[in-house]
Amino acid sequence: MEFDRDTIVYGSYEMVQEIATYLLERTGIRPRCGIICGSGLGCLADQLTEVDSFDYDTIPHFPVSTVAGHRGRLVFGRLGDVPVVCMQGRFHYYEGYSLAKCSMPVRVMRLVGCTHLIATNAAGAINSQYRVGDIMLIRDHINLMGFAGNCPLLGPNDDRFGPRFLGMAKAYEPELLSVAKQVAHRMPGMDEILREGVYCCVGGPNFETVAEGRLLELLGVDAIGMSTVHEIITARHCGMTCFAFSLITNMCTMSYDEEEEHCHETFVDVGRQLEGRICELVTRVVASIGDSEST
Ligand SMILES: O=P(O)(O)O[C@H]1O[C@H](CO)[C@@H](O)[C@H]1O
């Protein structure tokens, strides 16, 4: 099979290394954990101290963010005591980037020293028990785009990143999931909004039809979005430990009698309303990563 290297495969090891070197020469922070801020969740990066930030359009070979609620910069700093790097804005397939290009920054995170990835996103609930404003810890995902032959790891494999074939049975580290549940349990009001479920990524940018929503429910999907899965695959490929959660910003339209109320700007507002709790949850999970690495 012929691959168009420009559009399907993106980010040779040398290119990613060049980006990592560019960044490390301009910041003294040596991050242990990479954080990807989802739609409306850029507040996470605003919690950092000792910040060095880089607009995406100033970083060599970096794509640019084109979606509202994704500011478009990479922020190095400390979250509590732990050195981290945040993507304040991610890349989506529907913006016209290949999945490899969307998740190339995860490899940059790895080469600047991150051992862990925390991915966050805004998602629609398929599970009818969920409510807008819930936080769903991702236990597992369904790589629907992968079923159709699209994957960030398409093309020749570079063993310096990771193996040709990789297991995904524990893509979301059970230990971190359990830490997140424990820390959330100690936060006031979190028990009522905390869920644990299966995320599925679609290509977008259109939202789902009623028939598609019902199909995804049958498949065991709890929440749906247009990101995260390819980032987690890329992170696992290069040996990173992963944790992710979705902020439920809307209920998916599951019946023809319902009015569809999907509006990206409203989703971003849901993120703003929950930002205090989300920042606290991430800060506490990152602190536990810092503790586990120092012991
Ligand atoms: O996954 P994040 O980046 O949070 O964004 C979510 O919000 C957008 C739809 O409103 C889509 O891009 C979807 O994936």
Side-chain angles (χ1 to χ4, degrees):
M1 189 180 199
E2 285 285 308
F3 287 102
D4 176 344
R5 293 193 63 91
D6 288 340
T7 55
I8 298 178
V9 181
Y10 189 83
S12 66
Y13 193 89
E14 287 72 22
M15 179 199 279
V16 177
Q17 202 163 42
E18 182 191 334
I19 302 171
T21 304
Y22 174 92
L23 295 165
L24 291 176
E25 282 173 351
R26 287 164 179 78
T27 179
I29 299 285
R30 295 293 175 261
R32 309 313 309 166
C33 179
I35 301 171
I36 303 178
C37 306
S39 291
L41 301 174
C43 58
L44 286 168
D46 298 331
Q47 306 300 306
L48 306 194
T49 56
E50 298 175 37
V51 161
D52 284 314
S53 75
F54 302 87
D55 289 341
Y56 291 157
D57 61 4
T58 67
I59 306 173
H61 312 294
F62 236 68
V64 290
S65 287
T66 66
V67 184
H70 291 260
R71 175 143 177 197
R73 58 181 195 169
L74 202 56
V75 188
F76 287 74
R78 286 182 186 279
L79 190 56
D81 292 333
V82 185
V84 301
V85 56
C86 274
M87 282 182 76
Q88 203 172 26
R90 63 149 56 87
F91 308 111
H92 306 84
Y93 188 68
Y94 61 79
E95 293 177 78
Y97 302 125
S98 66
L99 291 182
K101 197 163 185 172
C102 289
S103 44
M104 183 273 287
V106 172
R107 289 180 161 172
V108 174
M109 288 173 163
R110 181 71 193 102
L111 293 201
V112 297
C114 296
T115 51
H116 289 70
L117 176 71
I118 298 183
T120 70
N121 61 57
I126 294 283
N127 186 325
S128 60
Q129 306 290 307
Y130 288 10
R131 293 289 167 261
V132 171
D134 284 352
I135 293 171
M136 182 189 86
L137 306 181
I138 301 182
R139 184 196 326 127
D140 203 349
H141 71 220
I142 292 181
N143 180 14
L144 204 59
M145 296 171 75
F147 286 7
N150 198 356
C151 175
L153 306 178
L154 285 184
N157 186 62
D158 190 326
D159 294 342
R160 288 172 292 179
F161 284 126
R164 169 77 289 183
F165 300 105
L166 73 150
M168 288 293 289
K170 287 191 179 158
Y172 300 85
E173 171 58 40
E175 188 65 33
L176 271 183
L177 192 58
S178 133
V179 165
K181 283 191 272 192
Q182 285 164 31
V183 299
H185 187 58
R186 291 198 288 270
M187 290 167 55
M190 276 295 260
D191 278 345
E192 294 83 66
I193 62 167
L194 200 72
R195 313 285 188 166
E196 185 181 329
V198 174
Y199 176 87
C200 178
C201 171
V202 290
N206 57 289
F207 295 111
E208 299 65 49
T209 65
V210 170
E212 287 164 348
R214 290 177 178 175
L215 173 69
L216 293 166
E217 186 177 30
L218 285 176
L219 292 179
V221 171
D222 294 298
I224 181 154
M226 305 170 193
S227 70
T228 305
V229 167
H230 37 279
E231 297 158 352
I232 298 295
I233 292 171
T234 303
R236 291 300 301 136
H237 182 246
C238 58
M240 296 171 83
T241 303
C242 298
F243 167 69
F245 66 84
S246 299
L247 172 63
I248 301 300
T249 51
N250 59 288
M251 302 302 293
C252 291
T253 315
M254 302 297 275
S255 127
Y256 297 105
D257 303 330
E258 288 168 39
E259 269 315 303
E260 186 178 16
E261 287 174 0
H262 291 4
C263 163
H264 179 72
E265 284 65 32
T266 315
F267 300 171
V268 171
D269 280 344
V270 176
R272 289 207 187 96
Q273 285 159 32
L274 269 291
E275 70 182 26
R277 282 179 183 188
I278 285 167
C279 289
E280 193 176 340
L281 176 66
V282 173
T283 306
R284 290 187 187 207
V285 172
V286 167
S288 83
I289 293 170
D291 289 347
S292 68
E293 293 216 318
S294 59
T295 53

